[in-house]
C-alpha cells in the first residue's frame, strides 16, 4: 500500500483524470504515428512547406502545436478538424486502461466528482465514455480548445476549467496524469498531482517534476477508494 496515496486521496474532494493513459490508450487501434502522418499530409495538401523533423513527428498533438506556431489560422482549423475526426475514430478502438473504469466507478461511489481533462478533443473523450457506459459518472469533460494548441496542458487553463466545474478549491482536487505536461499543468493550477507511471522510466521523472505521489497501476487508486465505500 502506498501511504502517500491514501493520505492524498483522503485530503481531496474531486478526481481529475487525463484521458489518454489513465482512462484508455486512445490510439491503440489507430496508431498515433499514422494519425500524425495523415496530419502532415493535410499540411502538404494545403501547400505548407513541411520540414523533415515535422514530417517524421510521431505525435499528432505535436503536429498540431507546430501548426499553431506557424500562425496560419486557416490551416490550423483544417488540421484541428482532421485531428478531431481521427480522435473520434481512434476512440472506437481505444484500449481501456486496466482499472481505469474501476477508479471512475469507485470515486463516484464514495461521492467524489470525476472530471476528465484532456489535450485530446472533448468529442473523442465523450464518445469513448458513452460507448463504455461511463458518461454518467464523469462531468465535466474538458478537452482542448479548438484550434488553439497553446491552451493545451501544461497550460493550466483546462485544469482550472474542470476545477471550477467540480466546485472545489484547487488544493482539494487531484489530477492523475501520465505525462510531464499533466504534472506541470497541475502544479501551475495549484492542483495536487498523481503521476501514473505506465512505463518504468517515468517514475523518477514524475518525482523530479514534483508529483505528490507516483503510481504504476490505476489499481492502486481503485483499491484505496474501494476501502472507503
Amino acid at each position: 500500500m502506498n501511504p502517500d496515496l491514501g493520505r492524498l486521496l483522503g485530503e481531496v474532494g474531486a478526481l481529475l483524470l487525463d484521458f489518454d493513459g489513465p482512462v484508455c490508450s486512445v490510439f491503440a487501434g489507430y496508431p498515433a504515428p499514422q494519425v500524425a502522418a495523415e496530419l502532415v499530409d493535410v499540411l502538404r495538401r494545403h501547400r505548407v512547406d513541411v520540414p523533415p523533423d515535422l514530417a517524421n513527428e510521431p505525435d499528432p498533438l505535436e503536429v498540431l502545436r507546430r501548426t499553431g506556431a506557424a500562425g496560419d489560422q486557416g490551416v490550423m482549423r483544417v488540421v484541428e478538424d482532421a485531428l478531431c475526426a481521427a480522435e473520434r475514430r481512434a476512440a472506437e478502438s481505444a484500449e481501456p486502461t486496466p482499472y481505469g473504469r474501476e477508479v471512475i466507478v469507485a470515486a463516484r461511489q464514495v461521492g467524489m466528482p470525476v472530471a476528465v481533462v484532456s489535450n485530446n478533443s472533448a468529442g473523442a473523450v465523450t464518445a469513448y465514455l458513452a460507448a463504455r457506459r461511463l458518461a454518467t459518472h464523469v462531468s465535466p469533460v474538458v478537452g482542448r480548445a479548438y484550434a488553439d494548441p497553446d491552451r493545451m496542458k501544461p497550460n493550466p487553463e483546462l485544469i482550472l476549467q474542470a476545477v471550477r466545474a467540480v466546485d472545489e478549491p484547487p488544493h482539494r482536487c487531484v489530477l492523475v496524469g501520465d505525462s510531464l505536461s499533466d504534472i506541470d499543468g497541475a502544479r501551475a493550477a495549484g492542483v495536487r498531482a498523481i503521476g501514473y507511471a505506465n512505463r518504468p522510466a517515468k517514475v523518477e521523472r514524475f518525482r523530479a517534476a514534483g508529483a505528490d505521489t507516483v503510481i504504476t497501476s490505476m489499481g492502486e487508486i481503485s483499491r484505496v477508494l474501494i476501502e472507503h465505500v
Side-chain angles (χ1 to χ4, degrees):
M1 182 64 68
N2 180 338
D4 290 337
L5 178 63
R7 185 163 47 250
L8 173 58
L9 291 176
E11 294 172 350
V12 300
L15 184 66
L16 315 180
L17 301 175
D18 179 39
F19 178 60
D20 188 14
V23 177
C24 70
S25 178
V26 68
F27 294 112
Y30 184 15
Q34 179 181 343
V35 175
E38 291 170 359
L39 297 182
V40 168
D41 286 342
V42 170
L43 291 172
R44 287 178 172 141
R45 288 198 299 272
H46 284 78
R47 303 182 186 278
V48 174
D49 184 19
V50 178
D53 61 329
L54 182 57
N56 295 309
E57 173 58 56
D59 181 355
L61 291 177
E62 186 58 28
V63 176
L64 189 72
R65 283 192 181 95
R66 293 277 298 274
T67 302
D72 187 325
Q73 277 302 301
V75 172
M76 179 74 251
R77 287 191 291 271
V78 171
V79 173
E80 174 72 59
D81 289 343
L83 179 53
C84 287
E87 287 172 329
R88 288 193 297 272
R89 175 181 166 191
E92 296 173 4
S93 57
E95 182 177 314
T97 297
Y99 300 103
R101 180 186 186 88
E102 287 82 352
V103 166
I104 293 170
V105 172
R108 296 302 298 127
Q109 287 177 336
V110 300
M112 185 179 290
V114 180
V116 168
V117 186
S118 179
N119 283 346
N120 298 118
S121 63
V125 177
T126 300
Y128 175 88
L129 295 174
R132 286 152 184 83
R133 299 182 181 180
L134 287 169
T136 58
H137 295 286
V138 179
S139 181
V141 170
V142 181
R144 68 172 176 272
Y146 180 80
D148 194 355
D150 286 345
R151 294 163 66 188
M152 294 194 297
K153 295 174 290 182
N155 185 320
E157 180 180 331
L158 300 181
I159 299 169
L160 289 171
Q161 284 183 37
V163 168
R164 289 190 291 270
V166 298
D167 198 26
E168 289 278 359
H171 72 276
R172 289 268 299 158
C173 299
V174 61
L175 174 68
V176 184
D178 72 326
S179 71
L180 288 175
S181 66
D182 295 310
I183 308 303
D184 293 343
R187 286 172 59 83
V191 165
R192 313 290 290 277
I194 296 173
Y196 169 41
N198 48 9
R199 292 199 298 273
K202 292 184 177 182
V203 173
E204 289 306 320
R205 290 181 203 159
F206 290 161
R207 287 176 178 155
D212 291 271
T213 191
V214 178
I215 60 172
T216 56
S217 167
M218 293 296 288
E220 296 177 56
I221 298 177
S222 65
R223 282 192 291 273
V224 172
L225 293 173
I226 287 170
E227 286 179 357
H228 293 87
V229 173

